Amino acid sequence: MRKVIAVANQKGGVGKTTTAGNLGIGLANMGKKVLLIDSDVQGSLTTSLGYREPDKLEITLANVFAKTINDEAMEADYGILKHDEGIDLMPGNIELSRIEVSLVNVMSRETILRSYVEMVRNHYDYVLIDCMPSLGMITINALACADSILIPVQAAYLPVKGLEQLIKTIGKVKRRLNAKLAIEGILLTMIDKRTNYARDISALISETYGSRVKIFDNGIPMSVRLAEVSAEGTSIYKHDPKGKAAAAYLGLTKAVLANEQEK
Ligand code: ATP
Ligand code: MG
């Protein structure tokens, strides 16, 4: 039942980090052992889990990349931080940008993260990788080691063009690097219930990509509570347990667990 999920979309600000954090803690609340990997130079996931100054952390994913590239051994718990809501975090920060540049000259540069994930995945039921808003080498590394990709898409406009590029990239990664890569699902986020966009966008995505691409039945509503949690260092379940955003992320958690049972 072990699974590695990359949360990715090269479009910025669509809810990737919010989703990685709250899905991860949702799975932990269901009794799963979860590792969250922050693969973004902005370190937003790390910050949102309460590590206010990610750039001051001593060990981050950048060190893991560097050690893997240099064939240096490390323990499975190297650099891992423990969050009080029951998840493990491999933090990320600005150092990753240097790694991204240096990867150009590295042998097997697309599969560095895979070596690390292969080493740690036996300790977890789920490994979630929060990707940065680009399709650069670190995101390719995430796709190359994932079993599936979960794609948050903002429901406030028609984002089909950006998705096309992402789906093309997924196809390329599947052919060249990782034949098992599946699409976990498209997650509509920041849904404004006063408009009917969500339904229109779901219909449009299905029309354009057909049954190849699964869309989660329920998306995530627009919610100021979610905007607040990133500043709190907690999950939505702690911050506003009875609210609609917590219910929506619980629904996503169950849908991801159900995806597993279908197989
Ligand atoms: P980036 O591309 O920069 O990594 P992202 O895709 O990870 O961004 P988030 O950081 O999760 O997106 O969200 C962007 C902003 O929107 C954050 O301030 C977050 O708190 C807020 N946000 C996320 N989801 C929602 C929502 N459903 N309703 C309202 N605000 C949200
Ligand atoms: Mg983010």
Side-chain angles (χ1 to χ4, degrees):
M1 232 289 265
R2 302 177 193 290
K3 193 165 194 184
V4 181
I5 303 176
V7 180
N9 186 342
Q10 79 280 16
K11 172 97 181 81
V14 296
K16 293 181 289 293
T17 300
T18 305
T19 297
N22 288 291
L23 173 59
I25 292 175
L27 289 165
N29 288 343
M30 297 287 191
K32 303 297 175 191
K33 274 219 83 187
V34 178
L35 172 65
L36 297 181
I37 298 180
D38 187 350
S39 78
D40 186 356
V41 296
Q42 303 171 96
S44 324
L45 180 63
T46 304
T47 308
S48 75
L49 289 171
Y51 298 90
R52 296 270 164 259
E53 297 186 88
D55 293 347
K56 292 194 174 153
L57 287 169
E58 206 150 299
I59 305 173
T60 66
L61 187 62
N63 302 81
V64 165
F65 265 92
K67 275 187 175 281
T68 309
I69 291 166
N70 296 327
D71 280 326
E72 285 171 36
M74 61 193 130
E75 300 291 325
D77 64 354
Y78 173 77
I80 285 189
L81 302 172
K82 303 270 177 190
H83 188 262
D84 62 9
E85 287 183 73
I87 49 110
D88 284 3
L89 170 69
M90 171 47 69
N93 68 15
I94 189 71
E95 299 280 317
L96 276 170
S97 58
R98 235 177 339 140
I99 296 290
E100 176 123 50
V101 173
S102 72
L103 277 173
V104 175
N105 299 311
V106 170
M107 206 190 291
S108 312
R109 57 181 183 251
E110 293 96 350
T111 55
I112 303 298
L113 187 57
R114 185 192 291 171
S115 317
Y116 170 68
V117 168
E118 287 309 320
M119 175 188 75
V120 294
R121 72 181 290 169
N122 284 347
H123 299 271
Y124 298 99
D125 299 309
Y126 285 90
V127 177
L128 305 187
I129 308 170
D130 182 31
C131 294
M132 65 178 116
S134 89
L135 293 173
M137 201 42 76
I138 290 184
T139 300
I140 298 298
N141 264 266
L143 296 181
C145 72
D147 299 303
S148 68
I149 170 173
L150 191 159
I151 310 170
V153 172
Q154 193 178 338
Y157 61 99
L158 302 184
V160 170
K161 251 264 87 48
L163 268 185
E164 205 169 289
Q165 197 192 347
L166 180 56
I167 286 172
K168 246 188 222 158
T169 302
I170 294 168
K172 251 189 222 170
V173 169
K174 275 180 80 134
R175 284 192 303 278
R176 297 182 191 167
L177 296 167
N178 179 11
K180 70 173 191 293
L181 180 65
I183 297 181
E184 188 72 33
I186 290 182
L187 176 71
L188 295 184
T189 60
M190 305 180 194
I191 298 170
D192 184 345
K193 70 169 182 333
R194 291 168 303 177
T195 67
N196 249 338
Y197 288 148
R199 197 158 302 157
D200 294 349
I201 292 172
S202 283
L204 184 70
I205 293 171
S206 304
E207 241 167 64
T208 315
Y209 302 107
S211 56
R212 273 186 304 159
V213 180
K214 179 197 147 115
I215 305 169
F216 287 103
D217 292 337
N218 296 298
I220 308 299
M222 182 70 84
S223 154
V224 259
R225 297 280 178 224
L226 277 174
E228 289 163 5
V229 282
S230 359
E232 289 273 310
T234 65
S235 71
I236 190 67
Y237 316 107
K238 245 195 175 167
H239 181 67
D240 184 30
K242 297 203 159 64
K244 60 186 176 162
Y249 272 113
L250 178 63
L252 174 68
T253 303
K254 288 179 175 164
V256 167
L257 288 169
N259 274 354
E260 227 36 53
Q261 274 131 28
E262 264 169 33
K263 282 181 203 144

